Amino acid sequence: EAQVTQNPRYLITVTGKKLTVTCSQNMNHEYMSWYRQDPGLGLRQIYYSMNVEVTDKGDVPEGYKVSRKEKRNFPLILESPSPNQTSLYFCASRGTDRLRGLHFGNGTRLTVT
Amino acid sequence: GDSVTQMEGPVTLSEEAFLTINCTYTATGYPSLFWYVQYPGEGLQLLLKATKADDKGSNKGFEATYRKETTSFHLEKGSVQVSDSAVYFCAASGGSYIPTFGRGTSLIVHP
C-alpha cells in the first residue's frame, strides 16, 4: 500500500531535549516536505526537499533541521525544542507530476513542556 | 508569492443542506488548484483538483470549477452528510511547484 509513515504519532518531551520525528514514503517520490498545523494558522511549511541531498527552507524553518540522505526518508530534527514548537506535524510527499497532489502522513502531535 | 484565501469557519450545516466553501488565489501564471480534506485524527487527503481554466474537479459528490476570471475555486456539494464533517483546505501550485495552502475551513454537519 502506498503510504507516508510518520513516527511517533504522539510525543511529549521537555525543553531542550533533542528529538527526531521520522518520515518514510514507499512511492519513490522525489519531493518531500514538513508542515506544522496550528489552530487559526492552518498549514505552514517548515522545510522541503526536491530530491536526495537537496533541502530548502519553507516559511517557518527556525528551530528545525532536516536531512535527505535517502530518497524514501526525510527526518525532522529539533535540536533544542521549545514550548512554541508544540504543534501537530505532517510529512508529505509527491512524485515528479505536481498535478497529482501531495500524499500526507497521519501526523505527529508534539508537546514540549 | 502565491497565496490562497479561504472563508473562515466553522461552517455548520444540517444534513442534506447545500455546501459552498469559498477559495480565491493569487499566483503568477496558471497554477493547478486542489482541495484537500482532513478527517479527525488523520492527515490531509487529496479530494479533487483542476489544472486549467474552466476545468471542473469532482469526487465523492464534491465539485469545484477553476475560474480564471475571478481567480476562484469554490468547493460545493449539493447534499452534505454527517460523514463530511472535516477540515477542508484549498491549495494552489504555481510555477515553483511548491503548493500554497489556505488556512482551512472546518465543516460541521448535524443530523
Side-chain angles (χ1 to χ4, degrees):
Chain A
E1 181 190 349
Q3 58 186 1
V4 178
T5 303
Q6 292 179 231
N7 280 298
R9 287 295 305 273
Y10 301 92
L11 180 58
I12 300 173
T13 190
V14 296
T15 299
K17 186 176 181 182
K18 181 180 178 179
L19 66 91
T20 300
V21 183
T22 63
C23 174
S24 180
Q25 50 91 7
N26 62 0
M27 296 166 280
N28 201 37
H29 283 169
E30 286 75 18
Y31 177 86
M32 297 186 75
S33 182
W34 277 102
Y35 295 88
R36 59 178 289 173
Q37 184 178 17
D38 302 288
L41 298 176
L43 280 177
R44 294 182 291 170
Q45 190 177 47
I46 303 170
Y47 270 94
Y48 64 95
S49 169
M50 298 294 265
N51 214 324
V52 176
E53 301 292 1
V54 179
T55 62
D56 280 294
K57 295 177 180 178
D59 299 318
V60 288
E62 295 76 22
Y64 304 95
K65 285 175 58 177
V66 293
S67 69
R68 188 90 183 273
K69 293 186 172 63
E70 308 163 277
K71 199 171 190 179
R72 62 183 293 124
N73 296 324
F74 191 45
L76 179 69
I77 302 155
L78 285 70
E79 295 268 4
S80 182
S82 62
N84 65 11
Q85 292 178 299
T86 292
S87 187
L88 179 58
Y89 291 86
F90 288 101
C91 181
S93 73
R94 187 190 65 208
T96 51
D97 183 0
R98 67 183 173 96
L99 304 181
R100 286 195 170 272
L102 295 170
H103 291 253
F104 282 83
N106 280 331
T108 296
R109 185 165 291 282
L110 172 65
T111 302
V112 183
T113 61
Chain B
D2 299 349
S3 68
V4 174
T5 303
Q6 291 180 233
M7 61 188 290
E8 289 196 20
V11 173
T12 304
L13 295 172
S14 298
E15 207 164 25
E16 298 184 5
F18 184 84
L19 167 71
T20 300
I21 300 178
N22 291 338
C23 171
T24 57
Y25 66 90
T26 58
T28 53
Y30 303 103
S32 296
L33 302 173
F34 305 86
W35 277 101
Y36 288 83
V37 59
Q38 182 183 29
Y39 298 106
E42 298 183 12
L44 282 71
Q45 305 172 23
L46 181 63
L47 180 60
L48 54 84
K49 64 184 180 186
T51 59
K52 60 183 187 297
D54 301 324
D55 263 4
K56 178 185 281 189
S58 61
N59 187 23
K60 299 182 181 180
F62 291 88
E63 292 183 341
T65 301
Y66 191 142
R67 300 284 187 205
K68 179 164 145 303
E69 63 278 9
T70 54
T71 61
S72 65
F73 193 54
H74 304 322
L75 183 68
E76 297 181 336
K77 187 174 186 183
S79 176
V80 293
Q81 306 300 311
V82 171
S83 57
D84 293 327
S85 298
V87 181
Y88 293 82
F89 290 89
C90 185
S93 184
S96 71
Y97 297 89
I98 309 300
T100 299
F101 285 86
R103 292 193 174 187
T105 303
S106 175
L107 171 65
I108 301 168
V109 181
H110 293 295

